Amino acid sequence: MDLDDIQAGALYGRPSPYVGTYLLLCIRDRDDGRDLVRRLLRVVKPAGFPGSPDDTSVTVAFTYSGLKALGVPQGSLDSFAPEFQQGMASRAATLGDVGESAPEHWEWPLGTSDVHVAISVLSSDRAQLEAVAEKAREAHAELAGIDLIWRQDCYQLASGRTSFGFKDGIGQPGVEGSGRPAANPRERPLKAGEIILGYPDETGELPPMPSPEILGRNGTYVVFRKLHTRVAAYRSYLRARSRSRQEEALLGAKMVGRWQSGAPLSIAPDQDDTELGGDPRRNNDFGFADDPRGFKCPVGAHARRANPRDALDGEGSVDVRLHRMIRRGTNYGPMLPEGVIEDDGIDRGIIFVFAGAHPKRQFEFVKTQWLNDGIFIGAPLESDPLVGPHPESSTFTIPQRPIRRRLQDLPPFVVTRGGEYCFAPSLRALQWLAGLGVRDETPPREDA
């Protein structure tokens, strides 16, 4: 891969722990928008930059409305993936964002045509974060035609745990040519074209790419979602169905597929193993093929739904690779103190970002077919117990001997607050966008 042309933040993982902020901007003036892109180029690092993984990273992405606001020709706009063109709010019914999660309840301006530019700034050091974030703010503050319309601060704890208390970010795929090994030694790195446009994917073909080539190549689609987590309701539900704290922890692990430490049920089915959970060489080295009925890890558990690994034999095992993507979660809001089961009314949750070259067969397929539906696991009426939509009489089945256990009436533990489909262009594409409107249509010099 041409690592010197790919945004580092679009391809690589993040330091741990870290702090960060997400900024959404609206372009009111086209010329100022292009000037903004030119200024942002100064703080965006390429994936080939010889820095450490702990460096502060800035990632810049655009919505369909944002590219249109910059003056991208309609022919180019029409060449993007249909899901990107339509926007996440228009895809809400398909994605299961209904009821409380429907777009009419989303946090403004998420899901509206006012969102044009999305900027993420992440760092292992708060002082560095503020310094780089200030540069990003300066990039638009002097431009009257650019408005900052939304900001969300976020963080990841040293433990890597989310607001539900579980260690996250363990099962990332490797990407061929990225220079980074796969987290799972049993999984071959994905072909580059599964994540970055312009390269062959797992089918051996080149994915459809926006035109012109300079705009599409080395870019990737980015799915951004803000999810409110009902932690108190989750804890209260488990406690009401448990006779001890040990059973409560086990029920939680059965729903997620891992213990809170990160130890997978496939290796530690009966009790937590914190040493295993904290060992990146071991906590992702497992499969599900030896547990077809889910006695160790239920087939409907969140982690198993999101990545079935080798559970789908034959041709199905190949299909799993077609639905892999880079997935990153970031906490927002304060953690609910341990042991508290009463809602304190404070907004907390997870900012999820998914990156891949195929938004429909990656993010949308996993969300609709594996998380929201239960047909592929043989339980059509069951959705993901943690993040799935839960209408009345939702259930979750835990296989066990001699009689399975079925949890009834799961309430919704996650509510969508909003989201966007974005596109993170390459550095050359950013230069091309900054130069739109120049008479000869040539990209500006890097020192412009």
Side-chain angles (χ1 to χ4, degrees), residues 12 49 152 171 190 198 208 301 330 360 369:
Y12 294 145
F49 182 78
Q152 179 65 66
L190 296 174
T330 307
K360 185 175 181 63
Q369 304 301 308

Side-chain angles (χ1 to χ4, degrees), residues 366-377:
V366 172
K367 181 69 170 69
T368 61
Q369 304 301 308
W370 287 354
L371 298 182
N372 292 358
D373 206 337
I375 293 176
F376 92 104
I377 64 170

Side-chain angles (χ1 to χ4, degrees), residues 122-175:
L122 302 167
S123 178
S124 58
D125 180 81
R126 184 171 292 278
Q128 288 184 22
L129 171 75
E130 289 303 325
V132 176
E134 182 59 30
K135 290 182 181 179
R137 283 192 288 268
E138 290 173 357
H140 70 77
E142 299 175 358
L143 302 173
I146 305 297
D147 293 337
L148 173 63
I149 57 176
W150 189 84
R151 171 175 177 163
Q152 179 65 66
D153 294 328
C154 57
Y155 63 94
Q156 186 185 71
L157 299 172
S159 64
R161 299 191 181 196
T162 68
S163 53
F164 284 120
F166 289 82
K167 186 177 180 66
D168 192 36
I170 295 174
Q172 296 288 6
V175 182

Side-chain angles (χ1 to χ4, degrees), residues 94-107:
T94 298
L95 295 174
D97 289 330
V98 296
E100 294 178 279
S101 292
E104 55 263 33
H105 302 302
W106 285 6
E107 183 177 314

